[in-house]
Amino acid sequence: MAEDDEVLLEKQIQYVLKNTADRIKDRGTIPGELKAIIDALFEVKPPVVNWKEYLRRFAGSSDKTYTKKSRRKYNKRFNENAGLKIKTKKHILIGLDTSGSVSDNDLMEFFNEINHIWKSGVKVTIAECDAALKNIYEYKGKVPESVMGRGGTDFQPVVDYYNKNYTIYNTMIYLTNGFCPAPDPGPRTTCLWVISSGGDDKVNFPGIKVKITKQDI
């Protein structure tokens, strides 16, 4: 078996092990040697970007506002009611490349970054896309069991969606392996392109571009 095929097979086995273990309620029933391997798969990898700093600098100042009831804040009009505290929260659109050239390992890298973004305290909406926009949903800290796509690659559908709805979001981040020409027109605001460790970072994407450091996942 060729070396590249061996690596791909290993990553696929790891992915199956991780999904299977995630469904087992009591990992104490797993043999010790296998448990150590599985536990390593669940280890959270460091993010490729300091997301708090990036979002502070590039996500703009148009934070989305919402209200939260607070017993500590006095309500001047109605003494018996809780006060309202005004909070701000950034809303990020993440374009997720789900084309056929994106491997399971790429997706694991992508969702590692997505989880770090979400943990930084922002609202995250994911737009899954191969050659067409497939699915849009809010990420709430749990990796979906599957993604929609696995066809060709085209960044334009997500970019067009963002440009049409950019007032809803503070910024857009696109996670991809980079095997596709840059969109034209590009995003209306600053965008970050995150390239998988095995991807192509030579494309001249509009905005900022970083590549995930290769690591065992």
Side-chain angles (χ1 to χ4, degrees), residues 88-199:
T88 61
K89 193 171 189 177
K90 296 184 186 297
H91 188 182
I92 310 302
L93 177 67
I94 294 183
L96 181 64
D97 186 352
T98 58
S99 61
S101 63
V102 172
S103 67
D104 290 340
N105 185 64
D106 291 337
L107 289 174
M108 291 169 70
E109 289 182 343
F110 294 161
F111 276 104
N112 182 68
E113 296 303 320
I114 290 172
N115 196 54
H116 281 294
I117 295 171
W118 176 76
K119 288 174 66 176
S120 71
V122 301
K123 180 179 179 180
V124 172
T125 293
I126 295 177
E128 296 178 357
C129 182
D130 52 9
L133 194 56
K134 297 294 187 181
N135 194 18
I136 300 176
Y137 56 93
E138 182 180 352
Y139 178 79
K140 296 184 178 181
K142 185 176 181 180
V143 177
E145 294 186 0
S146 62
V147 296
M148 299 178 64
R150 301 313 209 187
T153 311
D154 191 349
F155 302 132
Q156 202 65 53
V158 174
V159 172
D160 289 345
Y161 169 81
Y162 174 72
N163 288 342
K164 183 178 179 180
N165 301 279
Y166 80 100
T167 56
I168 300 175
Y169 306 102
N170 293 90
T171 190
M172 183 179 77
I173 299 169
Y174 215 119
L175 302 171
T176 177
N177 59 9
F179 296 121
C180 184
D184 184 20
R188 294 186 61 168
T189 63
T190 301
C191 174
L192 176 66
W193 300 82
V194 179
I195 313 299
S196 62
S197 61

